[in-house]
Amino acid sequence: MDIGTISSRYAKALFSLAKEKGEESRVYDDMKMLADSFSAEPGLRAALSNPIVSREEKVKLLKAAGGIQVCDLYTRLIDLVLRHRRETLLPFIAYIYIHLYRKDKKITRVRFDTAAPVDDKVIAHLQEKLRKETGNTIEFSGHVEPELIGGFRLRIGNYRIDASYLTQLRDIRAGLLENR
C-alpha cells in the first residue's frame, strides 16, 4: 500500500468517527494546527522520524503541535499512529482530514494578498460577494506582500487572479525585451 492510501484511510476513519460524535469541527481545528505546525517547524518531521526520540516525547510534541487543548479523538489518533509506527504519515493525514472537512462543510479557501493593508470593510465585502457567488462558506486569509508594489493577488482553490503591479511590470519588461 502506498502512503496516500494509508493516510487516506486514517483520515477518512477519523472524519467518519468525528462526524458520528459531532466533533468534526473540534478535530478540524486540531488538524489545522497540526498542519500549520508541520509547515512552520520542519524539525517536527525530523523528530518524528528519529528512532532515538521516545514515544512519550513524540506524544508530547504532537499534542503541543495540535494546540493548547487537543480533543480526545486527536489524542487517540496520535496514539494509534504511533503504535503502528506511522508517525511520518501525520502531515498527510492532517491535510486529507482538512480537505474532507472543507468538502463536507462546503468551505472554500480564499487567499487575498495585497501590497498594503486592506480595510476590514473591504475584506468583509469581498468575503460576502464570494460567499454569494460560490454558495459556500469562505475561509479567508490575507497577507500583506509589499513586493507586489500595488494591486492584489486572489486565489480561490485552483483559480488565480494576479492583478499586482509587480506582475504587470514584469509583463511589460518581458514585452520590451522581446522587441529588441
Side-chain angles (χ1 to χ4, degrees):
M1 250 187 259
D2 69 352
I3 291 172
T5 304
I6 296 168
S7 301
S8 184
R9 285 185 179 177
Y10 276 95
K12 285 177 181 176
L14 177 63
F15 183 73
S16 175
L17 182 59
K19 194 162 179 169
E20 183 180 304
K21 292 181 172 264
E23 296 180 17
E24 66 269 29
S25 295
R26 181 69 178 93
V27 175
Y28 173 69
D29 292 338
D30 293 345
M31 295 306 266
K32 267 190 8 180
M33 181 66 84
L34 179 63
D36 290 345
S37 295
F38 277 115
S39 294
E41 277 301 323
L44 180 58
R45 284 180 197 235
L48 291 177
S49 59
N50 187 338
I52 296 172
V53 177
S54 71
R55 186 177 191 278
E56 292 75 27
E57 287 298 314
K58 289 179 182 181
V59 168
K60 284 181 191 173
L61 280 171
L62 290 166
K63 283 184 178 180
I68 295 169
Q69 286 260 314
V70 293
C71 68
D72 180 56
L73 285 177
Y74 176 86
T75 304
R76 288 169 54 192
L77 171 74
I78 298 307
D79 289 339
L80 180 68
V81 167
L82 289 174
R83 197 171 339 118
H84 291 281
R85 295 191 174 125
R86 293 194 165 146
E87 50 269 33
T88 57
L89 300 181
L90 277 167
F92 305 107
I93 295 168
Y95 291 122
I96 294 168
Y97 182 93
I98 290 166
H99 173 75
L100 291 170
Y101 180 88
R102 287 177 176 151
K103 187 176 178 184
D104 184 70
K105 301 296 181 189
K106 293 186 167 103
I107 296 173
T108 298
R109 290 180 57 214
V110 173
R111 181 172 167 144
F112 184 60
D113 299 330
T114 57
V118 177
D119 185 55
D120 289 342
K121 288 179 185 176
V122 173
I123 292 171
H125 175 74
L126 180 60
Q127 280 181 290
E128 182 59 23
K129 192 159 181 67
L130 290 169
R131 187 192 63 74
K132 284 180 181 173
E133 281 293 317
T134 63
N136 291 352
T137 301
I138 302 299
E139 193 173 272
F140 196 86
S141 67
H143 302 290
V144 175
E145 295 185 13
E147 65 272 10
L148 296 178
I149 304 168
F152 65 90
R153 285 187 190 143
L154 181 68
R155 186 173 69 205
I156 305 169
N158 294 330
Y159 183 73
R160 293 187 167 110
I161 297 171
D162 189 338
S164 68
Y165 291 1
L166 176 66
T167 300
Q168 291 172 21
L169 289 171
R170 282 184 185 154
D171 291 347
I172 291 169
R173 183 176 190 273
L176 289 172
L177 289 173
E178 258 179 40
N179 295 326
R180 277 205 221 188

